[in-house]
Amino acid sequence: MRGVFGSKGFSGPLTSRLGLLIRRCDIAVILVPVALMQLIFLYLEFYGGVPPGGFKACRHTPCVQKIPKIIHQTYKTQDVPPNWAKTPGAWKEKHPDWEYMFWTDEKNRKLIEEHYNWFLGTYDGYPYGIQRSDAARYFILNHYGGVYADLDIQPLRSVTEIIGDAELVLPQTPNFGLTNAFMASTKGNPFMKYVTEILPNHANRWYQVVRHWHIMTSAGPTFLWAQYEGWTGDKSNTLIVPAGYWGKCSICKAHCRDLSTSPLHHLTGNSWFAIDSFIFNYVIMCNPLPLAVCILFLVDLYRSGRLTFQKMNKHVAEKAFSKSNNTTFAAKWALFFVLAGVVYYLKQMP
């Protein structure tokens, strides 16, 4: 019988080329950049976006709030899931002098139809409901101004302390980039207007090949981040809120704690996630090094002849599986797995 990646028999020429590629694979060439990427993610998570001297929402004295006192939240219907059922009441309780507006899918579409009819075709054409929810929140803020917050975000105190006197407030994620889970703006804000106008151009792009990436880049957080980075308008009245100051925890962590600096508390969210979201977030983005170590360990097992159905020459086998070679192989991979375990532990630290 030929090897798993043999050139004849069932495997065929494709697996033969794959086997040759694996045999030529240099473990270090792959592990080193993956390890560097993981270290960059860790650095951004622990230190990225936190300004020296602490976060200051107000830039002028006296600090006069420019963003309208309106709170916007949205869900498919009026029947909010039990785990989020207390959220609307919490916002009303902590903001007694604010107006509270709850938006259903029906109300969202009515807003688009009555005031932004030019976008209705794109809106109805989105294949996923979360895309319509993402898009609607930009139109709501552009039309009314105020604060938008996902239903998995509850206030511990008034949000005035993190919107200050800004005209546009966008929060950073604890990983990297911006998010649209919590936003605030003045009515008719130039950036929000720009975002609504550019949305149709990103509804269907060639790189949106999987569901998660399609959602993120068509109207979701990645789209918002890209538009803000590329926007050439006046950013002097924009406030970028570091993740730690609005209480957002990394998706890579199993357990999180609310920071005392944040007026917000986060419940379990991401209700739109599917299997591709899990792979993209929790495997590729959160744990690239542990994943690479596991895959390359199997590759090395195959390359060294420890994982094969091929018959080996007795002399070659004795040399390959000598005590010293086995000790070196075991020590090398023990070190790699320890490193992967340490990185995973650091990622889980609250």
Side-chain angles (χ1 to χ4, degrees):
M1 179 183 289
R2 293 285 178 178
V4 176
F5 297 103
S7 59
K8 295 182 180 180
F10 177 77
S11 300
L14 181 61
T15 50
S16 177
R17 294 192 187 96
L18 181 58
L20 179 62
L21 179 64
I22 289 175
R23 284 191 290 273
R24 291 180 177 178
C25 171
D26 190 324
I27 303 298
V29 168
I30 298 176
L31 271 184
V32 169
V34 171
L36 288 174
M37 180 174 67
Q38 182 82 77
L39 290 173
I40 291 172
F41 286 166
L42 283 171
Y43 174 83
L44 289 173
E45 185 173 329
F46 284 105
Y47 302 105
V50 179
F55 171 70
K56 296 180 178 63
C58 291
R59 300 179 180 179
H60 305 93
T61 303
C63 184
V64 179
Q65 183 175 324
K66 299 175 182 177
I67 291 172
K69 291 185 175 183
I70 310 172
I71 296 162
H72 304 279
Q73 295 195 290
T74 183
Y75 190 64
K76 292 180 286 187
T77 66
Q78 292 284 354
D79 299 323
V80 178
N83 54 320
W84 299 336
K86 295 181 180 180
T87 298
W91 280 96
K92 295 173 186 177
E93 178 187 348
K94 300 299 181 182
H95 303 81
D97 58 336
W98 288 48
E99 181 182 359
Y100 182 87
M101 300 182 71
F102 188 85
W103 296 83
T104 61
D105 286 356
E106 182 181 356
K107 290 180 179 178
N108 287 340
R109 191 182 186 280
K110 187 176 180 181
L111 174 72
I112 302 298
E113 184 178 26
E114 292 183 353
H115 300 283
Y116 305 96
N117 191 263
W118 54 267
F119 184 69
L120 192 60
T122 302
Y123 185 82
D124 287 341
Y126 282 131
Y128 308 111
I130 185 61
Q131 291 173 292
R132 287 184 283 277
S133 176
D134 280 331
R137 63 192 67 178
Y138 305 131
F139 285 95
I140 290 169
L141 288 179
N142 179 61
H143 195 77
Y144 290 95
V147 172
Y148 169 83
D150 280 349
L151 281 170
D152 60 339
I153 300 175
Q154 291 184 355
L156 301 174
R157 303 183 299 275
S158 172
V159 292
T160 54
E161 64 185 77
I162 58 172
I163 64 177
D165 54 5
E167 296 180 8
L168 174 67
V169 178
L170 300 173
Q172 291 180 328
T173 70
N175 304 301
F176 48 85
L178 302 175
T179 181
N180 63 357
F182 173 84
M183 301 179 291
S185 80
T186 52
K187 179 179 178 179
N189 183 272
F191 176 69
M192 282 299 165
K193 184 174 184 295
Y194 168 78
V195 167
T196 60
E197 292 172 347
I198 204 71
L199 272 168
N201 297 344
H202 295 266
N204 292 287
R205 304 297 286 267
W206 64 267
Y207 49 79
Q208 295 166 343
V209 292
V210 295
R211 176 183 178 275
H212 180 85
W213 195 238
H214 191 179
I215 291 169
M216 294 289 285
T217 58
S218 60
T222 305
F223 161 80
L224 179 69
W225 178 28
Q227 299 319 307
Y228 183 75
E229 291 299 320
W231 185 51
T232 57
D234 181 13
K235 298 181 180 181
S236 62
N237 291 311
T238 299
L239 185 63
I240 303 298
V241 185
Y245 290 93
W246 70 288
K248 182 61 176 175
C249 177
S250 170
I251 59 171
C252 301
K253 298 183 185 298
H255 302 285
C256 302
R257 63 186 179 192
D258 290 308
L259 300 181
S260 60
T261 54
S262 173
L264 302 175
H265 168 69
H266 295 259
L267 307 174
T268 302
N270 303 322
S271 58
W272 60 274
F273 273 20
I275 185 63
D276 60 327
S277 304
F278 176 86
I279 294 172
F280 184 87
N281 286 310
Y282 299 106
V283 179
I284 297 175
M285 191 173 76
C286 293
N287 299 295
L289 183 58
L291 174 66
V293 167
C294 291
I295 293 175
L296 292 176
F297 174 65
L298 296 176
V299 169
D300 210 15
L301 281 175
Y302 173 78
R303 290 198 322 164
S304 64
R306 291 173 170 84
L307 187 68
T308 181
F309 293 115
Q310 283 183 305
K311 292 182 178 180
M312 298 180 66
N313 177 279
K314 183 177 179 181
H315 175 71
V316 173
E318 288 177 351
K319 183 178 180 181
F321 303 130
S322 67
K323 185 176 180 180
S324 60
N325 275 355
N326 283 339
T327 301
T328 301
F329 182 89
K332 175 181 70 176
W333 283 106
L335 178 63
F336 287 153
F337 275 106
V338 167
L339 177 61
V342 169
V343 168
Y344 182 80
Y345 173 78
L346 289 174
K347 291 290 289 183
Q348 293 301 313
M349 289 177 60

